[in-house]
Amino acid sequence: MLLKNASVLNGVFAFSNLDIEVNNGKIDNLYIQNEYNTTNHDEVLDLSGYRILPGFIDIHTHGCAGYDTMDATYEALNNMSRFMAMNGVTSFLPTTMSETYQSIKNAFLNIRNTIDKGVEGADIVGIHMEGPYFSKQYKGAQNEKFLRLPSITDVTELQELSGRNIRIISIAPEIDGAMEFIKEVSKDNIVISLAHTGADYDTALKAIEYGAKHATHLFNGMAGLNHRAPGIIGAVLDSGLSVELICDGIHLHPAIIRLVYKLAGADKIVLISDSMRAAGLKDDKYDLGGQEIIVKDGVARTKDGNIAGSTVTLLQCLKKVVEFGIRLEDAVKMVTINPAKVIGVDKYKGSIQQGKDADLVVINDRFEVVYTFVKGKVVIGHSPIHHKDLRAPCNA
């Protein structure tokens, strides 16, 4: 298949007039437009007037479209994958919550089985284990009754149960046993991320020395930044870790996003949705981690008033940061190559380069998704389009 006449965000994240040849789910070749013969291709899709971006990667999402990772069913993950693909996401990490150990085991086993079976939309590329190893003071929307101390034994079991698919574990470094846990678990090619924590600067630095490499939804669910006590946020920014930001216009003020952009740089920021099952649905009552969540005006909160994840898509977060003054090319890095590098899949995902997976998003000038390609498979609206049915693009 040949995708032609679009403006393509190339491998160095600059827009260029390129045509993309896709074979067997991979980007086979990139051609300068009008410099070769296209008659050799049986399937040609004219994308004049559109942009092609690398597929988005959401490394922190609990649910969407009425489903949640902790539902522990194939139906839940498959429908999440379909909804995400319709919104430009081509890969994601189903993210677990602080619940009973058995519930977490069920979710991990289901993710493994779902990966083995395959989904119809965005590709599942691993697991983000958010909790239960958190500070009670900074639990946020995590259910306090399920919080507990870190266990290397449990994670070893979960890693095997999941088919060795754990990519990220979020943890508060100040709780008992956390340092030993970080030191040991980080050896297993698992990214340790600092989260839901009141750790001071020195404790955070020690965790980083022991192997922590990432920060979960920076500023949210953690002690604040103070000029005399820089704390966890100061340590993370001072040490150059990669950081997640929830850029829905609710979790963080635009000025904070711009400040982190200036301090951390475009290559260290990862935009996440942190979405829960209400994403894509109307205001109502939902559940998250065994707690009732009330969504009003698109904002999800626990009964105590804590923000409980988001109800937005990664595409909406991307639009927001561009509105807030971030360069589009840099903003796209934050949802593509940056998360790919964090979880170690950048050799085959995250940018438009020869040999990588044909994970591509076609957008119009209103930033609406027209097509999403997941390993060469096309999804538009609610219906997959087989190669033989390719036709001129329309608004999804």
Side-chain angles (χ1 to χ4, degrees), residues 5 15 20 109 139 160 168 170 197 218-219 240 260 274 310 321 380 383:
N5 297 330
F15 282 102
I20 304 173
L109 180 59
K139 65 183 186 298
E160 294 307 314
I168 302 174
S170 291
T197 169
L218 192 69
F219 290 95
V260 176
D274 195 13
S310 85
V321 296
I380 185 171
S383 303

Side-chain angles (χ1 to χ4, degrees), residues 49-66:
Y50 295 109
R51 287 173 170 173
I52 302 180
L53 310 178
F56 307 157
I57 303 172
D58 197 343
I59 63 172
H60 190 153
T61 171
H62 297 280
C64 55

Side-chain angles (χ1 to χ4, degrees), residues 1 26 30 63 79 88 100 110 116 154 172 191 203 211 240 261 274 294 301 311 324 337 348-349 360 363 366 387:
M1 181 181 6
K26 299 285 186 180
L30 296 167
N79 280 295
T100 66
N110 180 61
D116 290 344
D154 286 354
V191 176
T203 301
Y261 178 55
D274 195 13
I294 300 168
R301 295 185 184 274
T311 64
F324 297 158
I337 193 62
Y348 53 97
K349 292 183 184 292
L360 307 166
I363 61 170
R366 295 184 298 279
H387 290 180

Side-chain angles (χ1 to χ4, degrees), residues 132-355:
Y133 312 136
F134 291 147
S135 158
K136 291 182 179 180
Q137 184 180 359
Y138 292 95
K139 65 183 186 298
Q142 300 281 332
N143 196 328
E144 183 174 335
K145 70 180 181 180
F146 297 126
L147 299 183
R148 53 189 179 274
L149 298 180
S151 167
I152 296 171
T153 300
D154 286 354
V155 167
T156 300
E157 180 183 23
L158 290 169
Q159 179 71 314
E160 294 307 314
L161 189 69
S162 72
R164 303 195 63 78
N165 277 305
I166 301 176
R167 297 282 188 180
I168 302 174
I169 296 178
S170 291
I171 186 173
E174 74 273 22
I175 62 177
D176 291 344
M179 291 299 175
E180 179 187 0
F181 181 93
I182 292 169
K183 192 172 185 178
E184 289 303 312
V185 174
S186 62
K187 295 176 183 177
D188 194 27
N189 205 29
I190 295 173
V191 176
I192 298 296
S193 188
L194 306 178
H196 292 278
T197 169
D200 61 23
Y201 181 84
D202 291 336
T203 301
L205 282 187
K206 186 176 180 182
I208 294 166
E209 178 187 344
Y210 277 29
K213 295 181 179 178
H214 188 64
T216 300
H217 47 52
L218 192 69
F219 290 95
N220 295 115
M222 57 183 62
L225 179 68
N226 182 280
H227 61 294
R228 292 194 179 91
I232 183 81
I233 296 171
V236 165
L237 293 174
D238 197 24
S239 301
L241 267 63
S242 54
V243 300
E244 296 176 0
L245 297 179
I246 310 172
C247 298
D248 58 355
I250 297 165
H251 282 78
L252 298 171
H253 191 281
I256 290 295
I257 295 167
R258 289 190 292 269
L259 282 172
V260 176
Y261 178 55
K262 292 174 183 176
L263 286 170
D267 296 329
K268 290 293 185 178
I269 297 172
V270 176
L271 303 188
I272 59 167
S273 68
D274 195 13
S275 61
M276 45 87 71
R277 71 170 77 241
L281 302 178
K282 64 180 182 179
D283 288 359
D284 206 337
K285 293 181 180 179
Y286 298 90
D287 72 273
L288 180 68
Q291 303 174 100
E292 183 178 88
I293 304 299
I294 300 168
V295 177
K296 183 178 180 181
D297 298 327
V299 182
R301 295 185 184 274
T302 64
K303 286 185 176 180
D304 296 333
N306 290 325
I307 296 178
S310 85
T311 64
V312 299
T313 66
L314 200 56
L315 176 62
Q316 289 171 304
C317 292
L318 178 63
K319 290 179 183 178
K320 282 289 184 183
V321 296
V322 173
E323 290 174 12
F324 297 158
I326 308 299
R327 291 179 66 244
L328 173 60
E329 293 87 345
D330 287 343
V332 175
K333 282 185 178 182
M334 299 172 190
V335 295
T336 57
I337 193 62
N338 293 358
K341 286 179 177 178
V342 168
I343 62 173
V345 298
D346 52 301
K347 288 184 179 180
Y348 53 97
K349 292 183 184 292
S351 59
I352 299 176
Q353 292 176 280
Q354 187 177 19

